[in-house]
Amino acid sequence: MTPTEPNGLAPAADSPARTRPKLGWLPWAMLAVGAVYLISVYGRMAPPTKPADLDAFGRIPVVDGGRVKPLETVARVNLRLISQREEFYDDKGAKQPAIRWLLEVMANGAPEHKGASWKYEVFRIENDQLLTLLDLKPREGLRYSRAEIEKNRDKLDKRVRDAEAKPKEKRDLVDNKAAELNHRVEIFDNLARFGGPLLLPPQSAGGEWGSLGQYRMTAIMQGFRDAVPFAQERLRAEPNWLARITKEQEDAAFEHFRGLVPRVLSEAELKELAERVKPKAANPLTDADMKGILYRVAMTDPAKLLPVEERDLLFGLQQLLSDADRQALRDRVTADLKRRTDANPAAGQWVRMADAYRESKPDEFNRLAGEYRGTYLQHVPADELSKLNVEVAYDRFQPFYQCVVLYILVVVLSAVSWLGWNEPLRRSSLYLLYLTLALHTVALIVRMYVQGRPPVTNLYSSAVFIGWGCVGLGLVLEKLYPIGIGNLLAAVLGFATNIISHNLAASGDTMEMMQAVLDTNFWLATHVTTVTLGYTATFVAGFVGVAFVTRLVATVVRDAFLTPGTPSNKDLLVFGAAAAGLVAIPVMLVALVLKALADYEVIHDAAFTLLLFLTGAGGFVYAVTLLFLRASAEGTDAGGPPVAGTLPGPAKVLDALALDAVAGRNMAQMVYGVVCFATLLSFVGTVLGGIWADQSWGRFWGWDPKENGAVLIVLWNALILHARWAGMVRDRGVAVLAVAGNMVTAWSWFGTNQLGIGLHAYGFDNRLATGCRYFWLSQLVVIGLGCIPQRYWASATRRVYPSAPAPAPLPAASTNGHVVASVPAPTPAAVAAAPVAAPRPNPQPQPAGPGRGGKGKKNRKKR
Amino acid sequence: MSAATAAPKTAPAGRPAPGPLDHALRVLKAVASLRLTVVLFALGVALIFFGTVAQMDNGVWTVVERYFWSWGVWVPFELFNKVGQVFFDLPRDTHWAGSFPFPGGKLIGGAMLLNLLAAHLVRFKLSWKRSGILLIHGGLILLFFGEFTTREFAVEQRMVIPEGEAVNYTQDARISELAFVDVTNPAAETATVVPEAALKEHAGAGRIADPKLPADVEVIEFMANSEFVPPSKTDPNRATGGIGKDRVARKKPEVSGTDAEQKVDIQSAYVTLYKKGTDQPLGTYLVSAGLTKKQEVEIDGKRYDLSLRPRRYYKPYTIHLVKFRFDRYLGTQTPKNYSSEIIVRGDDGSETRTTIKMNEPLRYEGETFYQGGFDPETETTTILQVVKNPGWVIPYVSCAVVTLGLLVHFGIYLTQFLSRRRAAA
C-alpha cells in the first residue's frame, strides 16, 4: 500500500465534482469570527487616557533587567510576579490595567502615604499555612492587599528570618512560600520608593541610566547630614534646653541615640555605665548622668559618624528641639530634598508626576507626563526608543493569550468534526489555524525584533517556538493528508505549549537579557533553534501516534460489536480497556483545556474541579454503557432484531473514528516521515550544541543532563527508524514508539531541569515537575492502549472492510453506518464499502500467523 | 524504502551444505542484525538515562568514569527512588538499597560500532540510494573515533594570571608538586620540583634523594584532601618549623562532584628535609595546596620557598594579562561578558595582542585558550582554561558528514514520496 493510492478518506477535498461542498460558507464564517474577535481585542486594548493618561504613561521608557523597555512592560512583569496576572480589581471591583497599579504604587505606595495602592488585593497567597500565619481568611482568587499583609508583617518577618537561619535543604514549603511573599512585598515597597527599574534617563550623550530610588535616597541622606549642624546650632542657641526637655522627649531621643552611645563615650566610661545600669540598682543612672550623656551625644561631631548614624542623631535631635525649631528643621529638610531632587530635572519631573497623581490633579499629571517624554529623553539612543511602541502593543494585545483562545476554538471544531459535518468543520479549523498561525508568527517576529535575538532565548520562548513549529508542521501534515488529524494536532499542541509558556512567564520578564555564555546570536540561531525544532518534530510524531492509538481503540470497540457470538472474559477485558481508553483520551484533552481556563482564571478552581468531574463522569457512563451493551450482546432488542453483530446507537459515532487500512497506513506514514525529520533536526541540533561547547569551553561533549537529554531524543528517533527497517514494528508499533518519544522529549525539555533543583528546593514552584508527571502518566496510558493485540482491531489491517470505512466527508447518518452512495466515482474505498450484512471473516481467530505476516511483508516490500 | 535498508530476511531455502565460511558469514550476519541495533539503541537510551539521574549524587566526572567510559556498571535502585522523589512526590527520607548490573558505555558503544561495521560488510552496496546511509554511518564512526581521541589525548589545564603580570606555565588543578624555589636571586627564580606521584610513592617509605634537589626529602604523610585544625592532643603537630607550627593538616576523604561546600581537593603533606646525603634533619614542614603564605627554608645558606603547588607545565611562550573585564547589564548583576585582554609572546620574539571572550577562544600553538573563570574577590585575575585536544576538529567533520548524509537520505525519501503523490494526483 502506498500513499499514492486514493485514500478514500477525503476524496471530496480536491475532487472537481464537489466544487460546491455542503456548508461551503462555514469556513469563511469561522474565519470572519476569528478576525472580528482579534480586531475587537485590538480595539479595546489601550488603557484609558482620561482622566489620567495611562496610555502615555505606559509608553515612558525606562531601563529594567538590563534593557530599555516601556513602563507598560515593567508594570505587567511586576504585577505578574506579585499577582500572577496582568490586571487587577480596584477597591470598587472594577477591572484595571497593570499600568494603573504601577502608577498608584509609585504615587501613593510609600509608607508615609499608604494610599489606594495599599488597598488593592493583588498579593496572591496560595499556601493556607501562610494565610493562617498572617491571620487571613481564604477568599476567591486568594489575593490580599498590602495593608492586610502589613497587619502581621512582623510575623512574616520572623518566619523569613528563622527560615534564613536554616540550611537550604532544611527549609520547608511554608519557609519558602514566606520568603517568596516577603520578596513580593519588597518588590512593592521598592517600586513605591521609585526603586526597581532605572527611571532616570541619561543626562548627556553616552551617559548612563540611573535609579531614581537611589538618587532620592542619597539626596535624603545628604539632606540629613546637612541638617544635623543646623539642629545642633538651634539647640546651642537655647542655653537651657537640657532643663526644658521632658522625660518623654528624653526617652524618645535616647531611643535614637542608643546606637551612638558607644561611638561617643570612651571605653572606660562605657564600662562605668555598664556597672551602673546593673539590674540590682533601682535607678542606676542619675538624671545628671543621663543628661550628660544626652548632651554629649547630641553635640557629637557629625563628621565622625556613618550616614546611618547621622540619621539616628538627627532623629534624636528632632525630639529635643523646641516646637518652632522642629518645624523649621522639617521645612529645611523638605526644601533641601526638593532642591536636591530638582538638581536632576528628570528626577524632579518624576516626583512632580507622582505628586500630581496622588493629589488627584489628572490634568497636571498629563501635562507633566507629556512634557517628560518631550524633554528628558533626548540623550537616549534613538534605536532604543524605536522599539517601544511595538513592545507596548505586544504587551497590551497579549497575542499568545489570543492564540490560546483561537486554538481552543479549533480544538472544539476539530473534535466536533468527527461527529458530523466533517469536511466543512475541517475546513473551518484549517482556516482558523491559518489565522492563528499568522498571529503566532507575528508575535514571534515582534519578540525577535524587540530583543534583537533569534526566537529561542529561554525556556519561555522555547515553549512559544515549539508551539509555533508544531502548528506549522501540523498544517503541512494536513496539507499532505487532509483528514483532520493535522488540524487537531496543531491546535492541541499550539494551545498546550501556550499553557506551558503562560506558566513559565510567572517568573519575570519573558524577554530577559542573556547570560554571558549565551550572548551569541549565532549559536542561538543555529543550535538552539535546530534543537527546539527537533523537539517540535518529535512531539508532532508522538501526537500523531496518540491520534493513531485513539482511532485504534475506537476500532477495537467497533470490531467487537460487529463480531457475532458471545465474548469471552478476555474479550470483555480488552473491550473494557479499549472503552476506558476511548473515554480517557478525550477526557485528558478536556482536562487540559479546563486547566488552561483555570490558569487564565476564566473559570474558578472549583468550576475546574466540577467540570472535570462532570466530564469524567459522562465518560464513565459512556464507557459503562458500551461495556454493558457488549456484555449483553446475546440479548435482543425488545422485539427487535438481534443486537449481536451490529453497531448499537451509542457506538455509531465510533465508526467514523475507527481505523481502516488506508487511514492506518496514512497515519503511520505521517509518523514515519516526521520521525525522519525529527532525527535530522535533533541530531544536527545536538552536534551543533557540542560544537558550541567546544567553542566556549573546549569540551565537545560533557555528559551533562541537558546534553544527555538531547542525545536521548536522537537515539530514540534512530531506534524507531531502525526498528521499522528491521521489521520489528509496523504501523502500530511505530505509532506507539513515537508516543514514547513524547515522554523522552518531555524529559529532555523539562525533566532534566528539575533534577538539579528538584531535591533541594522543596515545594518551590514544582509545577514543571507536576506537569511532567501528568504528561508521562497520560502517555503511558496511551502506550498501554496501543499495545492491544492486533486481532482485536484486525479490520484496520484488512483491505476489505468488515463494515463501513470512515470516508471523512460523509455524514455517518445512514441507518447502519454504511456509506450512502454519494461518492461520485467508484473508488476502491467505495467499492469496498458495499453493505456487509453478508457474513464476513471473523476477525477473532487470527493469531499472528503466516497470513498476517505474509501480508505485512508484502506491504513492506511495496512501500 | 525500507527494502533498501532493512535487514534482509535470509531465505535459507536451497542452500548447499554449510562450510566454515558459511558459519563465519552467519556469525557476521548475526552481528550485523538490525534487531541488535535496535536493542543496542534501547540499552543506550537506558544507560544515558541512568547516567543522567546518577549525577544527582555524583560529580559528572565520576559518572562518566562509572557509566559511560566503562564496560559495565552497577546501577543502584536508588536512582529510581530519586526520580520518584522529584517527579512523583515519593517521601524524601527513604533510600532504596541494592543495585543491578548494566552494560557500560564502552560495551554498548563498542557493540554499536561492531554492529555497524558488520552491517556494512554484509550489506555493502554502492548506490545512490544508499549513499546517504553510508555518509551517516561513516560520520558516526568518525564521531566515535573523535570521542576516543579526546578521551585519550585531550589535556585540560588552567592558566591563572593577575592583571599586569605575565605567566609562562599552565597548571593542573588536580595534581600537585613539591617545589623548592630558589629566592636568593630575585631576578631569576629557579624551581626544583618533586611530582605528586613521587610524593605518594615515598610517603612513609624512604627518602627522595636527587642531585638536583637542595636537600633529601622524607615524606611523612601525603594527604589527597585535608583540612586545617589547631594543634591539639588528638592532632599533635608534626611540623618543627614554618607555617605548620600553628596549624595541623588533617586527612579528609576526597571531594564528591556535587559537594556544595568544597569543590576541589586540598592536598597537603608533611615532609622532613635532611642535609644532602646525611642524616642531619633540617626540620619537618607542612606543605599544602591550601596555603597561600610563602614559607622559606634555609639550606646551605641559600633561601628557598618551599611549597606544594598545582603541577606546572612550562610553555615556550608567556601570556601577559593587560586587563580582565567583567561586564554586567546596566542596573543588574547579570553577567554580560567576561573577557581578558592579553599579549602572547612566543619564544621566537613574536608578539600577539588579542582579547579572549566567552565563545571566542584563542587558538595558538595547538592549544586553545578559553575564558574559564576569574578571581571573584578582586575581579582582576583571570583564569584561562587551556585545552590541548589533537582531535578537536574531528567532531566538526563528522557532524558535517552525518548532516549531509541525513539530508541526502531523507531527501531521496521525500522526493520519492512527493513524486509518487504527484503521480497519483
Side-chain angles (χ1 to χ4, degrees):
Chain A
M1 176 96 22
T2 69
T4 60
E5 290 183 15
N7 56 35
L9 274 165
D14 304 314
S15 161
R18 282 229 166 188
T19 42
R20 304 202 62 180
K22 204 167 137 197
L23 293 176
W25 52 270
L26 187 65
W28 296 104
M30 279 295 165
L31 186 63
V33 167
V36 167
Y37 168 75
L38 292 182
I39 291 168
S40 79
V41 170
Y42 184 80
R44 286 180 292 124
M45 72 181 194
T49 51
K50 277 174 194 159
D53 190 350
L54 293 178
D55 175 59
F57 185 67
R59 292 175 194 273
I60 291 179
V62 297
V63 162
D64 191 28
R67 70 178 176 93
V68 174
K69 58 176 86 161
L71 269 185
E72 181 79 32
T73 304
V74 174
R76 283 170 185 271
V77 167
N78 283 297
L79 188 57
R80 200 161 63 211
L81 280 173
I82 290 175
S83 196
Q84 291 176 22
R85 60 181 177 192
E86 295 181 9
E87 74 248 341
F88 72 104
Y89 291 85
D90 64 17
D91 39 352
K92 292 178 197 72
K95 191 156 126 182
Q96 297 283 358
I99 188 70
R100 181 181 303 279
W101 172 79
L102 180 68
L103 177 56
E104 295 258 7
V105 172
M106 283 175 159
N108 60 40
E112 62 266 31
H113 303 306
K114 293 194 182 171
S117 59
W118 276 56
K119 296 195 197 79
Y120 299 149
E121 294 168 2
V122 291
F123 290 89
R124 184 152 163 119
I125 310 174
E126 288 162 330
N127 187 283
D128 44 354
Q129 277 171 278
L130 194 55
L131 285 176
T132 316
L133 178 82
L134 294 173
D135 205 14
L136 297 168
K137 299 262 172 306
R139 69 166 72 117
E140 198 190 298
L142 296 171
R143 292 191 173 82
Y144 301 86
S145 71
R146 178 71 184 83
E148 284 172 301
I149 294 171
E150 186 66 14
K151 274 188 216 142
N152 288 296
R153 183 76 200 269
D154 47 341
K155 287 187 194 160
L156 180 65
D157 280 347
K158 184 170 178 323
R159 179 88 205 200
V160 172
R161 272 200 310 275
D162 291 351
E164 276 167 2
K166 295 187 209 172
K168 243 185 186 157
E169 59 275 11
K170 288 271 191 296
R171 294 179 201 164
D172 64 14
L173 184 64
V174 186
D175 287 338
N176 284 328
K177 289 289 169 192
E180 190 182 73
L181 177 62
N182 192 49
H183 176 63
R184 290 173 182 174
V185 172
E186 279 168 4
I187 291 176
F188 181 100
D189 291 355
N190 203 17
L191 287 172
R193 285 190 297 260
F194 300 108
L198 307 182
L199 299 178
L200 298 179
Q203 295 296 296
S204 56
E208 290 212 335
W209 288 76
S211 162
L212 177 56
Q214 271 173 24
Y215 182 80
R216 288 268 286 183
M217 190 51 72
T218 316
I220 289 170
M221 292 312 271
Q222 281 173 348
F224 286 169
R225 167 170 292 187
D226 291 357
V228 170
F230 171 82
Q232 287 178 332
E233 194 52 42
R234 284 301 169 103
L235 274 184
R236 282 208 190 88
E238 195 186 343
N240 279 333
W241 66 271
L242 268 177
R244 168 179 56 76
I245 55 170
T246 62
K247 184 81 183 101
E248 285 74 40
Q249 278 179 305
E250 208 179 280
D251 288 348
F254 208 76
E255 255 326 285
H256 293 291
F257 285 168
R258 196 177 295 278
L260 297 171
V261 172
R263 305 267 302 185
V264 176
L265 299 189
S266 73
E267 221 162 284
E269 285 171 316
L270 278 173
K271 219 173 203 173
E272 196 194 344
L273 191 65
E275 276 304 309
R276 294 174 73 167
V277 294
K278 273 191 176 160
K280 58 184 171 189
N283 186 9
L285 287 172
T286 64
D287 284 357
D289 292 333
M290 193 65 194
K291 300 221 161 170
I293 294 171
L294 211 55
Y295 183 83
R296 285 179 59 187
V297 174
M299 293 304 162
T300 315
D301 181 0
K304 289 181 184 162
L305 300 178
L306 302 168
V308 192
E309 295 170 333
E310 281 171 6
R311 189 193 61 193
D312 288 343
L313 178 58
L314 185 72
F315 287 4
L317 283 169
Q318 195 186 349
Q319 304 294 333
L320 302 174
L321 288 172
S322 68
D323 291 346
D325 285 343
R326 194 176 305 149
Q327 191 55 48
L329 176 69
R330 266 194 211 130
D331 292 346
R332 188 193 146 91
V333 168
T334 312
D336 191 67
L337 178 60
K338 185 167 166 9
R339 187 176 52 79
R340 284 177 199 276
T341 306
D342 287 344
N344 181 325
Q349 190 83 355
W350 272 105
V351 174
R352 280 192 293 279
M353 272 195 273
D355 289 346
Y357 187 82
R358 185 175 55 250
E359 291 155 12
S360 302
K361 297 177 189 158
D363 295 335
E364 172 80 353
F365 170 81
N366 294 347
R367 186 183 63 76
L368 290 166
E371 198 176 284
Y372 179 88
R373 293 175 61 208
T375 315
Y376 297 109
L377 301 174
Q378 70 243 29
H379 296 298
V380 184
D383 60 318
E384 290 181 351
L385 292 179
S386 62
K387 297 169 176 175
L388 286 179
N389 285 338
V390 176
E391 187 172 350
V392 168
Y394 170 86
D395 283 341
R396 292 178 183 163
F397 190 71
Q398 296 183 283
F400 294 116
Y401 177 79
Q402 317 310 341
C403 283
V404 168
V405 174
L406 294 176
Y407 284 134
I408 290 184
L409 188 57
V410 176
V411 171
V412 173
L413 288 178
S414 300
V416 174
S417 79
W418 292 102
L419 306 179
W421 285 358
N422 186 312
E423 181 59 17
L425 285 180
R426 188 191 73 81
R427 257 180 198 282
S428 306
S429 304
L430 190 65
Y431 288 14
L432 265 184
L433 272 179
Y434 284 137
L435 178 69
T436 318
L437 182 65
L439 175 61
H440 203 140
T441 312
V442 169
L444 271 180
I445 292 174
V446 165
R447 286 181 59 88
M448 290 167 68
Y449 168 69
V450 170
Q451 279 193 293
R453 294 276 179 206
V456 183
T457 52
N458 54 12
L459 213 50
Y460 172 88
S461 48
S462 76
V464 166
F465 185 69
I466 286 177
W468 178 82
C470 288
V471 176
L473 202 51
L475 285 174
V476 170
L477 289 180
E478 186 66 29
K479 179 91 193 146
L480 293 174
Y481 300 95
I483 51 176
I485 296 284
N487 283 345
L488 184 63
L489 187 95
V492 168
L493 290 176
F495 108 91
T497 48
N498 269 311
I499 299 301
I500 295 171
S501 61
H502 172 78
N503 277 295
L504 290 171
S507 58
D509 189 359
T510 65
M511 293 190 265
E512 62 200 343
M513 301 311 274
M514 311 301 296
Q515 292 266 344
V517 73
L518 300 173
D519 185 16
T520 146
N521 277 352
F522 177 75
W523 292 111
L524 287 174
T526 52
H527 160 66
V528 179
T529 310
T530 326
V531 137
T532 31
L533 282 175
Y535 287 9
T536 305
T538 316
F539 272 134
V540 168
F543 277 86
V544 178
V546 173
F548 185 98
V549 172
T550 312
R551 298 187 64 174
L552 181 151
V553 171
T555 318
V556 172
V557 172
R558 187 198 56 175
D559 280 11
F561 278 118
L562 296 178
T563 309
T566 315
S568 68
N569 282 345
K570 199 178 156 200
D571 291 342
L572 276 182
L573 199 67
V574 170
F575 182 84
L582 198 56
V583 166
I585 293 171
V587 167
M588 287 191 280
L589 185 60
V590 172
L592 191 63
V593 174
L594 290 178
K595 174 78 175 65
L597 295 177
D599 273 355
Y600 286 106
E601 298 190 40
V602 177
I603 57 172
H604 301 307
D605 286 351
F608 167 73
T609 318
L610 180 72
L611 287 171
L612 190 58
F613 174 78
L614 286 179
T615 320
F620 181 74
V621 169
Y622 182 67
V624 168
T625 312
L626 288 181
L627 193 59
F628 177 77
L629 284 168
R630 176 70 188 128
S632 61
E634 278 203 281
T636 53
D637 269 346
V643 174
T646 61
L647 213 47
K652 287 245 162 62
V653 58
L654 301 179
D655 211 23
L657 205 55
L659 280 178
D660 53 61
V662 180
R665 171 54 34 80
N666 279 346
M667 289 178 73
Q669 282 278 1
M670 284 158 98
V671 176
Y672 174 70
V674 178
V675 167
C676 289
F677 191 52
T679 312
L680 172 71
L681 289 170
S682 51
F683 177 84
V684 175
T686 305
V687 178
L688 282 173
I691 291 181
W692 182 7
D694 184 60
Q695 289 282 320
S696 55
W697 51 80
R699 202 175 290 152
F700 178 74
W701 194 252
W703 297 106
D704 85 42
K706 206 75 187 169
E707 288 174 331
N708 289 352
V711 86
L712 276 185
I713 298 184
V714 181
L715 282 181
W716 190 258
N717 282 320
L719 182 147
I720 298 179
L721 295 181
H722 285 83
R724 187 176 181 273
W725 294 328
M728 291 166 83
V729 295
R730 274 192 285 286
D731 295 353
R732 180 263 296 270
V734 167
V736 170
L737 287 177
V739 176
N742 279 342
M743 299 177 68
V744 177
T745 314
W747 165 261
S748 170
W749 191 11
F750 291 119
T752 50
N753 294 19
Q754 300 302 304
L755 291 184
I757 51 174
L759 276 190
H760 302 299
Y762 181 58
F764 205 69
D765 196 7
N766 53 2
R767 272 177 299 179
L768 283 177
T770 319
C772 284
R773 171 171 68 211
Y774 287 126
F775 182 67
W776 287 330
L777 290 177
S778 69
Q779 300 304 294
L780 279 178
V781 168
V782 175
I783 290 173
L785 291 169
C787 292
I788 292 179
Q790 198 188 13
R791 63 195 169 94
Y792 290 101
W793 44 278
S795 71
T797 52
R798 249 178 266 124
R799 300 181 68 182
V800 176
Y801 311 109
S803 169
L810 300 172
S814 56
T815 47
N816 55 0
H818 298 322
V819 179
V820 276
S822 59
V823 177
T827 64
V831 171
V836 222
R840 79 190 91 81
N842 187 342
Q844 296 278 20
Q846 275 197 12
R852 194 195 104 199
K855 189 172 157 205
K857 211 168 175 182
K858 227 185 278 162
N859 277 346
R860 234 160 20 82
K861 284 269 158 61
K862 250 183 135 176
R863 249 178 286 156
Chain B
M1 194 65 228
S2 56
T5 50
K9 286 239 168 100
T10 44
R15 206 165 36 178
L21 214 66
D22 288 316
H23 283 299
L25 194 68
R26 255 170 63 191
V27 170
L28 196 62
K29 276 188 175 163
V31 175
S33 149
L34 259 180
R35 285 169 182 261
L36 178 64
T37 318
V38 174
V39 171
L40 289 174
F41 275 139
L43 289 175
V45 165
L47 179 73
I48 291 177
F49 176 72
F50 296 144
T52 309
V53 180
Q55 290 184 28
M56 289 167 83
D57 274 337
N58 295 102
V60 60
W61 292 115
T62 319
V63 170
V64 168
E65 217 51 64
R66 216 178 273 167
Y67 286 76
F68 302 127
W69 208 252
S70 69
W71 293 103
V73 53
W74 284 91
V75 181
F77 289 114
E78 172 64 12
L79 294 188
F80 297 100
N81 189 24
K82 280 268 152 58
V83 172
Q85 287 172 353
V86 175
F87 294 101
F88 295 90
D89 287 346
L90 292 191
R92 284 170 192 248
D93 44 8
T94 57
H95 183 93
W96 294 1
S99 54
F100 61 94
F102 205 80
K106 273 188 183 174
L107 190 59
I108 297 178
M112 280 181 176
L113 197 57
L114 280 182
N115 175 250
L116 185 55
L117 291 173
H120 280 275
L121 267 181
V122 172
R123 299 193 282 271
F124 184 81
K125 202 164 58 183
L126 202 58
S127 72
W128 271 117
K129 242 181 152 179
R130 284 184 64 80
S131 60
I133 302 249
L134 280 175
L135 282 173
I136 295 170
H137 289 163
L140 285 177
I141 292 173
L142 205 57
L143 203 60
F144 271 101
F145 180 68
E147 179 63 11
F148 175 79
T149 4
T150 303
R151 176 75 202 187
E152 290 299 307
F153 302 110
V155 185
E156 280 183 27
Q157 290 157 5
R158 304 191 311 166
M159 210 168 201
V160 182
I161 325 173
E163 238 169 55
E165 292 186 26
V167 166
N168 66 340
Y169 57 85
T170 58
Q171 16 177 286
D172 188 325
R174 288 191 251 180
I175 305 174
S176 57
E177 63 188 12
L178 179 71
F180 292 86
V181 181
D182 185 349
V183 288
T184 319
N185 177 8
E189 288 187 353
T190 48
T192 319
V193 300
V194 184
E196 184 179 306
L199 295 175
K200 278 183 176 161
E201 189 189 325
H202 286 85
R207 287 182 205 168
I208 304 169
D210 189 289
K212 286 186 202 141
L213 284 171
D216 292 348
V217 180
E218 181 185 340
V219 184
I220 297 175
E221 188 183 3
F222 181 87
M223 295 166 251
N225 188 20
S226 59
E227 61 186 344
F228 297 123
V229 291
S232 65
K233 271 188 192 144
T234 47
D235 294 295
N237 202 345
R238 287 173 279 184
T240 59
I243 304 175
K245 276 171 88 174
D246 55 356
R247 74 194 84 186
V248 172
R250 192 161 62 183
K251 198 170 176 171
K252 263 177 79 175
E254 286 178 57
V255 178
S256 85
T258 52
D259 193 325
E261 274 137 46
Q262 198 186 347
K263 285 293 179 204
V264 286
D265 289 324
I266 297 174
Q267 296 111 335
S268 295
Y270 280 99
V271 292
T272 308
L273 307 183
Y274 292 90
K275 202 172 157 78
K276 276 193 90 63
T278 70
D279 277 341
Q280 185 192 337
L282 298 167
T284 301
Y285 295 90
L286 165 66
V287 286
S288 169
L291 295 173
T292 44
K293 243 167 68 180
K294 293 195 168 180
Q295 92 176 322
E296 281 189 5
V297 294
E298 201 172 304
I299 305 166
D300 294 338
K302 274 185 170 176
R303 283 179 294 118
Y304 293 92
D305 178 7
L306 179 68
S307 64
L308 191 71
R309 64 187 193 187
R311 172 141 188 216
R312 290 182 182 183
Y313 302 87
Y314 288 90
K315 300 288 176 184
Y317 52 80
T318 58
I319 294 186
H320 174 92
L321 178 67
V322 181
K323 175 98 189 119
F324 171 75
R325 288 180 63 89
F326 177 9
D327 305 325
R328 297 169 175 87
Y329 287 104
L330 183 58
T332 69
Q333 286 299 310
T334 313
K336 183 177 163 63
N337 195 23
Y338 310 96
S339 59
S340 302
E341 191 185 340
I342 54 162
I343 300 170
V344 188
R345 295 193 181 91
D347 55 355
D348 53 354
S350 68
E351 201 172 292
T352 326
R353 199 181 176 106
T354 181
T355 303
I356 296 174
K357 296 180 194 159
M358 299 303 288
N359 295 316
E360 286 179 35
L362 163 72
R363 294 197 195 269
Y364 180 80
E365 299 270 310
E367 286 172 319
T368 316
F369 299 78
Y370 302 89
Q371 183 63 55
F374 62 99
D375 176 0
E377 303 226 326
T378 60
E379 290 189 12
T380 56
T381 296
T382 191
I383 300 174
L384 299 180
Q385 168 106 331
V386 185
V387 178
K388 187 172 193 169
N389 181 4
W392 73 272
V393 83
I394 298 177
Y396 289 72
V397 176
S398 76
C399 166
V401 172
V402 177
T403 308
L404 184 68
L406 284 166
L407 284 175
V408 168
H409 185 65
F410 293 138
I412 291 174
Y413 174 79
L414 189 69
T415 346
Q416 279 181 347
F417 171 74
L418 290 178
S419 64
R420 261 186 275 165
R421 270 183 71 83
R422 232 187 331 266

